[in-house]
C-alpha cells in the first residue's frame, strides 16, 4: 500500500472534519453573545450596552494579541499547541458557568479571546499540513466551512439553546462537540 493510500481511513482522514468542528465551536462561541446579549445583561444586572462590551473587548483582545501571540508561540509544535488551546478554551467556558457578575464574565471571555487569537493563526496552516495527501484543499475548506456553519447555524441554535437552558449553558454545551 502506498503512503497516500495507507492514511486513507486512519485518523489523518478525519482531521479535516475535526478542523470543521473546532472552527464551528470557536466561531459559535465568538458570536454567541450577540444573540444572548439581553439575557446575559438581565442575568448579571447590567445594561445591554455595558454588557455589549464583552463583545467589543473580545474583538480588541483578538485583534491586538493575534500577532504577538503568534510570534511567541511560533516555535511550539502546532498539534500540541492546538490541544492546549482547546483545553484552555474549554476551561474558560467552564468558568462562564460561575460568571454572575460583569467582571467574572469579562475575565472568562478574555481568556476565550486569547485562545481564539492563537487558534486562527495556526488552524488553517495546520489543516492544510495534516490533511491526507492530495486533500489539503479539503482540509482548508472544512475549516472555513466550520466558520460559515457557525455563523449560519451555530449562533441561531446556540441562541435558542440559551433561551431554553440559560445563557451560561449555551456557552458551555457547545464547547464539547
Amino acid at each position: 500500500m502506498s503512503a497516500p493510500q495507507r492514511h486513507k481511513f486512519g485518523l489523518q482522514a478525519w482531521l479535516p472534519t475535526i478542523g470543521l468542528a473546532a472552527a464551528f465551536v470557536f466561531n459559535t462561541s465568538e458570536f454567541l453573545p450577540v444573540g444572548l446579549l439581553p439575557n446575559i445583561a438581565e442575568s448579571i444586572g447590567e445594561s445591554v450596552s455595558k454588557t455589549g462590551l464583552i463583545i467589543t473587548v473580545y474583538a480588541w483582545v483578538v485583534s491586538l494579541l493575534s500577532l504577538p501571540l503568534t510570534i511567541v508561540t511560533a516555535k511550539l509544535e502546532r498539534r500540541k499547541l492546538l490541544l492546549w488551546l482547546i483545553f484552555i478554551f474549554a476551561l474558560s467556558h467552564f468558568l462562564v458557568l460561575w460568571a454572575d457578575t460583569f467582571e467574572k464574565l469579562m475575565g472568562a471571555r478574555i481568556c476565550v479571546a486569547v485562545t481564539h487569537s492563537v487558534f486562527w493563526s495556526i488552524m488553517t496552516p495546520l489543516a492544510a499540513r495534516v490533511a491526507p495527501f492530495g486533500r489539503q484543499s479539503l482540509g482548508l475548506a472544512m475549516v472555513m466551512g466550520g466558520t460559515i456553519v457557525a455563523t449560519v447555524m451555530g449562533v441561531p441554535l446556540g441562541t435558542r439553546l440559551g433561551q431554553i437552558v440559560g445563557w451560561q449553558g449555551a456557552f458551555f454545551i457547545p464547547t464539547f462537540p
Side-chain angles (χ1 to χ4, degrees):
M1 206 178 263
S2 69
Q5 291 174 339
R6 184 174 47 238
H7 295 293
K8 189 174 182 181
F9 299 107
L11 174 63
Q12 194 175 23
W14 287 97
L15 288 173
T17 306
I18 294 167
L20 170 86
F24 172 82
V25 171
F26 268 79
N27 274 41
T28 297
S29 169
E30 176 185 8
F31 296 117
L32 192 54
V34 174
L36 293 170
L37 202 54
N39 306 75
I40 297 168
E42 181 182 344
S43 173
I44 62 174
E46 295 290 349
S47 68
V48 172
S49 58
K50 180 177 179 181
T51 305
L53 287 172
I54 66 169
I55 298 167
T56 305
V57 170
Y58 188 103
W60 276 103
V61 168
V62 171
S63 64
L64 292 174
L65 293 183
S66 290
L67 182 59
L69 289 178
T70 299
I71 293 168
V72 167
T73 61
K75 303 250 186 237
L76 300 175
E77 201 279 314
R78 294 305 188 207
R79 292 179 210 180
K80 289 179 185 175
L81 177 58
L82 180 61
L83 290 175
W84 273 108
L85 290 172
I86 291 170
F87 173 75
I88 295 167
F89 177 86
L91 182 63
S92 300
H93 279 83
F94 191 69
L95 295 174
V96 169
L97 290 173
W98 288 278
D100 56 356
T101 66
F102 176 79
E103 293 76 18
K104 289 178 186 175
L105 178 58
M106 182 65 78
R109 292 298 292 167
I110 287 172
C111 291
V112 175
V114 169
T115 64
H116 190 127
S117 64
V118 179
F119 175 82
W120 283 110
S121 70
I122 68 167
M123 191 59 198
T124 50
L126 185 61
R129 194 175 81 216
V130 300
F133 180 77
R135 309 286 286 181
Q136 291 82 5
S137 59
L138 174 64
L140 290 171
M142 294 296 278
V143 169
M144 293 300 109
T147 300
I148 294 165
V149 174
T151 305
V152 174
M153 291 179 58
V155 174
L157 290 174
T159 300
R160 183 65 183 133
L161 179 65
Q163 294 167 343
I164 294 168
V165 303
W167 68 268
Q168 290 160 313
F171 282 95
F172 183 70
I173 292 169
T175 303
F176 303 99

